[in-house]
Amino acid sequence: MQLATLKHRTESEDSFVIDATHVRVRFHSAKNDVEKVIVHYCDNYLPLNQAKTIEMTKIGEGQVEDHWGATLEAPFHRLKYTFEVIGNDGTSVVVGDRAISSDVESALMEDGYYFKVPYCHDIDMVKTPEWVRHTVWYQIFPERFANGDKSNDPKNVKPWNPEDHPGREDYYGGDLQGVLDHLDYLKKLGVNGLYFCPVFKAGSNHKYDTIDYLQIDPELGDKDLFAKVVNEAHARGMKVMLDAVFNHLGDKSMQWQDVVKNGPSSRFAGWFHINEYPVEPYHDPLQGEGNPQFDTFAFEKHMPKLNTANPEVQDFLLEIATYWVKYFDIDAWRLDVANEVDHHFWKKFHKAVTDIKPDFYIVGEVWHSARPWLNGDEFTGVMNYPYTLQIEDHFFKHKLTADQMTKRLTDQLMKYRDSTNAAMMNMLDSHDTARILTVANGDQDLALQALTFEFVQKGSPCIYYGTEMGMTGGNDPDCRKPMDWSKEDGPVWQRVHELIKFRLDHDETFGKGTIKLHVTENGLIEVDRDGIESVKAYFNTTDHDVKIDCKDSFSQDYRNGVLAPKGFVITVR
C-alpha cells in the first residue's frame, strides 16, 4: 500500500459539519490501491472501546486518487475519528491525527490517533443559500440585450444587427427598459435568476471601468427604472445579481482624476497602488515602456487598482455593497477580478451584506482553485471555470478523452465542501469567452449536448443571453453581439426551454443530491445523481451509435434503444 498517498485534512473540504449532529468526512488514496476504508468514531469524551465504525463509500475516481466518503453521527455535537485502511495487498494501517501506524489494534485505542471536531458550531458551518440550488441563471449584457428606450441612446449608436461583429467602442443602445420589456419573455423561457453585467455609470459599453457606483449609467436608465426591474423580476419569482468591480476604478472617476491633477498631495493618493509620479502618461510594459507608475487590472491603464487595505477605500466600497442591497433589494453580487482583492476586505464585505440579507449570494470571479475564498466567510461560490472549461476541452476541443474529463471533474469536486459545490456558478460561455456554438464549430446538437451535461452537474447553471437563439460569436468583443430576437420560439429556443424546465422540475435532486461521474464499458459518459429520486444521464461523445436500453425521461438523438453521437438520454426513477 502506498502510504504517502493516504490523505485527510480536518476542518476543510475533507471534514465539515453538515448539521448539529452530523459530520461529513472524505479520505483519499492512490488509485486501485485500497480495498476499503473504515472510520472509527465516537464522542470526544467517551472511551474508545465505545467507538462505532462505518465503512466508507468510494465516491469517485480521480486522475491519480480514489476518493472515499462517509457521514458520521455526532449526537453530542462533538466527534473524534480515525481511519483504518485496508490495502489491496492485504496490509492494514491506521491513518490518524499524528501519524500512520501499522499497529492497528494499539492505534485504535490511543486518543492521539483520532482527528477531532471539538464542537459542531452552527455559526462556523459553511452554509449556502437554499434558493441558489433551485436557480437557473441568465446572464445579460445590458448594452446588447434590448433597446427599450431610444431617448437615452449614446451618440453614434449603431443599428441593431445580430449579424454584426461589434468593435470594442461600439454602442447599440441596449438598456434596462429593454430588460423590463422582456421580463415576461425570460419568464416564458423558464430562467429564475438574472445576472447583470455592470449597470453603474462608466466610460465604456461594458461598464467595467466604473466612474460612479451609486448611479445607474444614464445610457441604461436610472435608479427608478432599475428599482422597477428588480421589483418586477421578484414578482415573477426571479432573483437579481449585480456585477461589482471592487478591484479597480475607471480612470475617469473623480478619485483618479484628482490623483492625476494633484499627484502625491491628492487626498485619494492612498486609495491606489502608486509607484511613482506623475501617473500620466502611463508606461505600458507590454509596449516596452518600462515599469508602470501605478498598479492596474492587467496592464490596462484605464483601470487603476484600488488599495482595499485602506480603511477609507473599505468604507467607500462597503457603502456601495450595502446600498444596493438595502435600497433595491438585490439578491446577489458577482465580484469581478475577485482573486486580486485581499481576503481581509472580502471578510468585511461578506459580513456587511449577509447582516442585511442572511441568504445573500456572493459569487467571485476566480479562474483557478478557489479554496481560500470558500470557507464560509468570503464567497458563497465562484464562477466555476476550472470545472466547465474541462467540459469544453472534451466536448468541443477534444483535448481530453471522456475518461480523462470525468476523472478531472471528480478531482475538482473534491476541492470543495458539498454545500459549496451546490452553490458554484456553472457556465460554458460568458461576456469574457467565445460563445459555445462558435466553440462547437456551429454544431448545434453538440452545443446542446454539452449544455445539458453542464445542467446535470452540481452547481447553479447559467446561460449567456442569446444561447437560446443559437447565437454565435468569437472571443470578446465578438461574443457581445446584439440579441437576435428573430429566433424566439424557434427550434433551438424550444430545446433550451425544455432543458431549463427539466432542470427545475428535478431541482431537488440536481441541487442537493450526490453526484458520481464515470465512463461505461461502451464509451458513454454516465452521470449519476441521487437525491429524492435517482437520475442517470448518458452522453455519447463517441463517433458511433451506442446501444443502451433505458427509460427516456429527456433526450436528444435517442431512438429505439440507440444513442447517436452528440446525443444524450436521461432517465429519472
Side-chain angles (χ1 to χ4, degrees), residues 473-503:
N475 286 321
D476 161 29
D478 198 49
C479 57
R480 303 172 180 180
K481 295 177 182 179
M483 176 71 153
D484 188 352
W485 288 105
S486 70
K487 302 294 197 309
E488 182 178 349
D489 296 326
V492 177
W493 190 97
Q494 290 293 345
R495 292 162 76 181
V496 174
H497 165 69
E498 289 166 6
L499 173 59
I500 295 168
K501 183 178 186 303
F502 180 78
R503 165 79 189 208

Side-chain angles (χ1 to χ4, degrees), residues 128-135 137 192-193 239-240 331-332 359-361 460:
T128 54
E130 171 70 21
W131 62 265
V132 175
R133 293 166 168 77
H134 310 282
T135 302
W137 293 98
N192 56 0
K239 301 291 186 179
V240 175
D331 306 287
D359 66 346
F360 198 81
Y361 184 41
S460 192

Side-chain angles (χ1 to χ4, degrees), residues 19-186:
D19 61 40
T21 57
H22 292 89
V23 175
R24 182 71 176 167
V25 294
R26 296 177 185 155
F27 189 82
H28 314 280
S29 62
K31 282 183 69 171
N32 304 317
D33 190 46
V34 166
E35 179 187 342
K36 60 182 172 182
V37 182
I38 300 167
V39 188
H40 297 252
Y41 66 101
C42 67
D43 182 80
N44 286 339
Y45 296 98
L46 285 176
L48 291 173
N49 59 12
Q50 293 187 29
K52 297 180 178 179
T53 61
I54 184 172
E55 187 170 328
M56 302 188 84
T57 301
K58 188 186 288 189
I59 56 176
E61 296 181 15
Q63 276 191 285
V64 298
E65 291 180 311
D66 287 335
H67 305 292
W68 309 79
T71 300
L72 312 181
E73 295 179 357
F76 306 112
H77 320 295
R78 304 173 301 240
L79 202 63
K80 58 185 174 187
Y81 60 92
T82 195
F83 301 95
E84 180 184 356
V85 185
I86 295 101
N88 286 332
D89 61 1
T91 61
S92 297
V93 296
V94 169
V95 178
D97 185 45
R98 297 179 188 172
I100 298 174
S101 174
S102 57
D103 188 349
V104 173
E105 288 188 16
S106 175
L108 290 176
M109 298 308 296
E110 188 173 330
D111 190 75
Y113 276 93
Y114 282 71
F115 298 96
K116 305 296 193 300
V117 178
Y119 195 84
C120 298
H121 287 286
D122 181 77
I123 197 171
D124 285 339
M125 279 177 56
V126 175
K127 300 172 186 173
T128 54
E130 171 70 21
W131 62 265
V132 175
R133 293 166 168 77
H134 310 282
T135 302
V136 173
W137 293 98
Y138 186 92
Q139 182 185 359
I140 295 174
F141 193 91
E143 216 280 322
R144 305 293 159 80
F145 183 67
N147 188 346
D149 180 2
K150 293 189 180 301
S151 71
N152 63 9
D153 285 1
K155 293 178 182 178
N156 303 318
V157 68
K158 298 184 71 173
W160 196 272
N161 179 12
E163 301 302 318
D164 207 355
H165 295 281
R168 293 203 175 276
E169 311 300 325
D170 291 343
Y171 285 84
Y172 293 86
D175 49 38
L176 291 174
Q177 185 63 49
V179 177
L180 185 64
D181 294 343
H182 289 90
L183 286 178
D184 285 337
Y185 161 81
L186 294 166

Side-chain angles (χ1 to χ4, degrees), residues 22 53 95 138 261 283 300 314 322-323 332 355 358 382 407:
H22 292 89
T53 61
V95 178
Y138 186 92
K261 180 180 178 182
H283 303 159
E300 176 49 69
Q314 292 175 5
T322 55
Y323 176 80
D355 278 353
V382 295
K407 286 177 168 51

Side-chain angles (χ1 to χ4, degrees), residues 166-457:
R168 293 203 175 276
E169 311 300 325
D170 291 343
Y171 285 84
Y172 293 86
D175 49 38
L176 291 174
Q177 185 63 49
V179 177
L180 185 64
D181 294 343
H182 289 90
L183 286 178
D184 285 337
Y185 161 81
L186 294 166
K187 178 72 174 176
K188 179 179 74 170
L189 179 63
V191 297
N192 56 0
L194 306 181
Y195 156 35
F196 289 88
C197 289
V199 296
F200 309 124
K201 186 176 181 182
S204 63
N205 54 36
H206 55 72
K207 315 298 180 194
Y208 282 95
D209 52 343
T210 316
I211 294 173
D212 188 344
Y213 295 88
L214 296 177
Q215 280 192 60
I216 297 294
D217 195 295
E219 294 165 353
L220 301 179
D222 57 25
K223 289 180 183 177
D224 288 343
L225 178 58
F226 178 69
K228 192 169 184 182
V229 169
V230 176
N231 292 338
E232 291 293 325
H234 284 168
R236 290 165 176 77
M238 298 176 184
K239 301 291 186 179
V240 175
M241 175 159 57
L242 286 186
D243 204 324
V245 189
F246 290 169
N247 176 67
H248 51 267
L249 278 179
D251 64 344
K252 294 180 182 177
S253 62
M254 174 270 292
Q255 295 88 342
W256 182 250
Q257 285 301 310
D258 194 81
V259 172
V260 172
K261 180 180 178 182
N262 298 308
S265 62
S266 168
R267 70 186 181 96
F268 298 109
W271 281 42
F272 303 93
H273 297 269
I274 299 173
N275 306 316
E276 63 178 276
Y277 295 94
V279 294
E280 290 187 351
Y282 177 73
H283 303 159
D284 188 345
L286 297 178
Q287 303 301 320
E289 296 169 355
N291 293 330
Q293 304 98 305
F294 55 94
D295 294 349
T296 60
F297 165 65
F299 291 112
E300 176 49 69
K301 66 180 181 180
H302 300 298
M303 298 179 179
K305 181 177 174 63
L306 284 164
N307 176 14
T308 47
N310 183 323
E312 290 182 9
V313 175
Q314 292 175 5
D315 291 344
F316 169 71
L317 295 178
L318 293 177
E319 179 188 3
I320 295 157
T322 55
Y323 176 80
W324 296 96
V325 184
K326 284 190 288 191
Y327 299 112
F328 295 85
D329 198 27
I330 66 167
D331 306 287
W333 279 114
R334 180 264 187 188
L335 304 169
D336 192 60
V337 204
N339 57 333
E340 295 186 24
V341 176
D342 63 90
H343 293 283
H344 183 84
F345 172 75
W346 286 136
K347 288 177 168 65
K348 288 191 170 188
F349 174 91
H350 179 276
K351 185 176 189 310
V353 294
T354 56
D355 278 353
I356 302 168
K357 220 176 199 183
D359 66 346
F360 198 81
Y361 184 41
I362 305 169
V363 182
E365 183 197 16
V366 182
W367 289 62
H368 50 83
S369 177
R371 280 175 174 142
W373 292 271
L374 296 173
N375 291 312
D377 56 355
E378 295 186 51
F379 306 157
T380 321
V382 295
M383 299 179 81
N384 205 6
Y385 287 117
Y387 198 84
T388 56
L389 288 176
Q390 301 202 73
I391 296 174
E392 293 191 13
D393 279 348
H394 171 64
F395 281 83
F396 301 149
K397 300 177 181 178
H398 310 298
K399 291 181 179 179
L400 300 177
T401 67
D403 188 62
Q404 287 171 329
M405 181 195 69
T406 57
K407 286 177 168 51
R408 291 186 184 198
L409 294 181
T410 299
D411 285 336
Q412 286 289 329
L413 289 166
M414 293 301 116
K415 292 181 185 294
Y416 309 122
R417 297 164 177 86
D418 292 339
S419 60
T420 302
N421 280 323
M424 299 296 263
M425 189 176 182
N426 296 333
M427 72 288 295
L428 291 179
D429 55 2
S430 72
H431 66 289
D432 283 327
T433 69
R435 288 183 173 272
I436 56 171
L437 186 54
T438 295
V439 183
N441 292 317
D443 190 327
Q444 191 64 70
D445 280 349
L446 179 58
L448 289 172
Q449 183 195 41
L451 190 65
T452 303
F453 186 79
E454 176 210 328
F455 266 59
V456 301
Q457 303 304 305

